[in-house]
Amino acid sequence: MTSINALTRALGFATCLSLAAALPASAEESWFPMKIFDSSSGTPTPAEYTPVGKAEKPYNLCVLFPHMKDSFWVAVAYGVVKQAEAANVNMTLYEAGGYENLPRQLSQFDDCLASGADAIIVGAISGAGLAQKFDEAKAKGVPVVGVVNPVPIEKLPAANFVDFAAMGGVTAKGLLASLGSGETANVVTFPGPAGSGWAESFNEGFKKEVSGNANVKILDEKFGDSGVAVQLQLIQDALQTYPDMNVIWGTAPTAEAAVGAVAEAGRSDMKIISSYENQAMLDALNRGDILAFATQYPVGEGAIGIDQAIRLIEKKPVVKLVQPEAAVIDKTTVPNVKMDLVLAPADWTPVYSVKAK
C-alpha cells in the first residue's frame, strides 16, 4: 500500500478512488464503487466511493450506535465490521439501547475518549445533544465521523448520511404511483423519535412531495421511539381515532407492527410504506404485506464511516459529507437493487469488536 498512498497524496482524491478500485478484490468487492452524492460544498454532486484500502497502522476506532434492536443497525454494523477487517484496524462498538438513552451515549463517548481512541464513528441519538462532545473531541485532536444519523456538519470533519427529506420524498412518490384513478390516500405518518432530526426530515420530505395533491390527506403525525412495541401502540391508537385512515407511513418498526395490527383489525385495504429498510421490510414486501420501503444502503454507510475515519487519521483526502443515493424498493425494483449494501447476510451474527492481525 505504500506506493498507493504516495500516489494518493500526489494525484488527489478522485484519482485515489480509481486506484483503490483497481486494488485486489476483497470479500466485499461487490460493494464498491458505491454511487453517492458528494455534498461537501452544500450542493449534491454525483460521485462514486471506494475505500482507500488497508490502514498504515492498526488504529483503534470507537463506534457508537443508538441501539442494535433491529436489522437496520445490524446492517450498519456489518459494514463497519467488514471494513475494519479489510483495513486491518481495531474496532470497538458500543450501543446505547435506544433513542431515549442520550445520557448513556454521552457517557460512552467519554469512554471512547478516555480509552485513547484514534477516531470515533458515531450514529448520533441527537446531533445537537452531542455537539459539546464533538467540541471536546476536536480539542483533544480526535477526529469524529457522523454516520447514518444527521449531525451538525460544521462541527465534524466528516460525516455520511442520506438526505432524509429526499428519502421521505421517494416513498411519497411510490405512494402516488400506486394510487388508481380517483383513489384517495388518508395518511397518518409515524416518523420516529421526536428530536432525532432524521424523523422530522423524513416526515417533511414525505409531506412536501404529496403537498398540493388533492388525492392525499395527512390526518395526523405520531412521533415515538422506533421500537415495535411503541409503534404498535401508536398504530392502534390511530386505527381507533381515524377509521378512514388507509395509509400507514413510517419507520421500519412502524411497518413491522402495522402488518399484524391491520390484519387483526380486518383492514386489508391499508397501504403500508416504510421510510427505511430492515430485513422484516424485505420479507414483508416479498409476502405482499407492504407496498414499498426506502433504502439508504446502510451496509455501505457503515463501511464508508470506517474509511472516512482512517482517512482523517492519516490526513488523506476525505469527502466531508457523503450522501448515499436514496431509492424506493417495491416488487418491481427489488431485483435491480444491490441488496448486499442494504442488509447483512441472514446468518451473520453481530460482533462488537475487531482485532487487527
Side-chain angles (χ1 to χ4, degrees):
M1 284 302 300
T2 303
S3 60
I4 292 292
N5 291 338
L7 284 170
T8 295
R9 288 187 286 270
L11 299 177
F13 183 65
T15 305
C16 161
L17 295 184
S18 298
L19 288 168
L23 292 174
S26 70
E28 289 68 57
E29 60 181 351
S30 65
W31 294 0
F32 299 104
M34 176 178 163
K35 292 184 182 299
I36 63 160
F37 290 108
D38 179 349
S39 298
S40 305
S41 67
T43 301
T45 303
E48 291 186 335
Y49 198 103
T50 301
V52 69
K54 284 192 176 181
E56 294 176 355
K57 295 179 181 179
Y59 305 115
N60 295 313
L61 306 184
C62 204
V63 180
L64 304 177
F65 283 177
H67 62 81
M68 287 279 280
K69 294 189 288 188
D70 61 40
S71 58
F72 176 89
W73 282 103
V74 171
V76 184
Y78 181 68
V80 163
V81 168
K82 290 303 177 182
Q83 191 57 41
E85 291 174 347
N88 197 38
V89 294
N90 299 299
M91 186 282 298
T92 303
L93 189 157
Y94 299 95
E95 57 97 5
Y99 279 93
E100 69 277 15
N101 294 331
L102 177 60
R104 184 179 301 171
Q105 189 170 70
L106 294 173
S107 177
Q108 290 171 337
F109 196 102
D110 289 340
D111 291 342
C112 288
L113 288 176
S115 69
D118 295 300
I120 300 172
I121 298 99
V122 56
I125 288 177
S126 165
L130 282 160
Q132 182 178 337
K133 296 300 177 185
F134 297 156
D135 290 339
E136 292 174 11
K138 182 178 180 180
K140 293 185 176 183
V142 179
V144 177
V145 175
V147 64
V148 177
N149 287 347
V151 291
I153 190 61
E154 72 279 359
K155 290 278 188 180
L156 299 183
N160 80 84
F161 51 86
V162 77
D163 181 333
F164 292 95
M167 196 166 169
V170 301
T171 55
K173 290 177 181 178
L175 171 63
L176 294 174
S178 76
L179 296 177
S181 177
E183 185 180 1
T184 59
N186 296 315
V187 188
V188 174
T189 69
F190 301 81
S196 63
W198 57 263
E200 290 84 355
S201 294
F202 270 143
N203 201 43
E204 289 305 313
F206 179 85
K207 292 194 299 181
K208 181 179 179 181
E209 191 63 37
V210 301
S211 65
N213 190 304
N215 293 326
V216 180
K217 182 179 180 181
I218 306 293
L219 302 176
D220 200 355
E221 304 166 3
K222 291 183 173 292
F223 288 85
D225 182 65
S226 55
V228 173
V230 172
Q231 293 299 311
L232 177 59
Q233 184 61 58
L234 293 174
I235 291 165
Q236 290 172 335
D237 291 346
L239 285 168
Q240 292 182 4
T241 306
Y242 302 103
D244 57 341
M245 174 179 69
N246 62 2
V247 177
I248 291 173
W249 176 93
T251 69
T254 305
E256 189 174 352
V259 170
V262 300
E264 185 176 344
R267 294 294 307 277
S268 59
D269 61 313
M270 191 78 67
K271 295 180 186 289
I272 302 171
I273 304 174
S274 173
S275 57
Y276 62 86
E277 65 281 84
N278 65 18
Q279 183 64 51
M281 293 304 93
L282 180 59
D283 295 342
L285 180 67
N286 290 334
R287 292 193 305 266
D289 290 337
I290 67 171
L291 178 67
F293 64 89
T295 184
Q296 62 198 75
Y297 303 101
V299 174
E301 289 180 290
I304 289 172
I306 292 291
D307 186 69
Q308 287 176 299
I310 292 170
R311 289 178 180 275
L312 290 168
I313 295 168
E314 296 181 347
K315 303 189 184 305
K316 291 187 170 78
V318 62
V319 178
K320 181 176 177 64
L321 179 55
V322 172
Q323 295 199 295
E325 289 188 5
V328 65
I329 300 178
D330 58 23
K331 284 195 170 181
T332 66
T333 60
V334 70
N336 303 318
V337 174
K338 272 188 169 183
M339 292 306 298
D340 53 350
L341 280 172
V342 177
L343 296 168
D347 61 352
W348 187 71
T349 301
V351 297
Y352 291 81
S353 67
V354 171
K355 300 298 181 185
K357 297 180 180 178

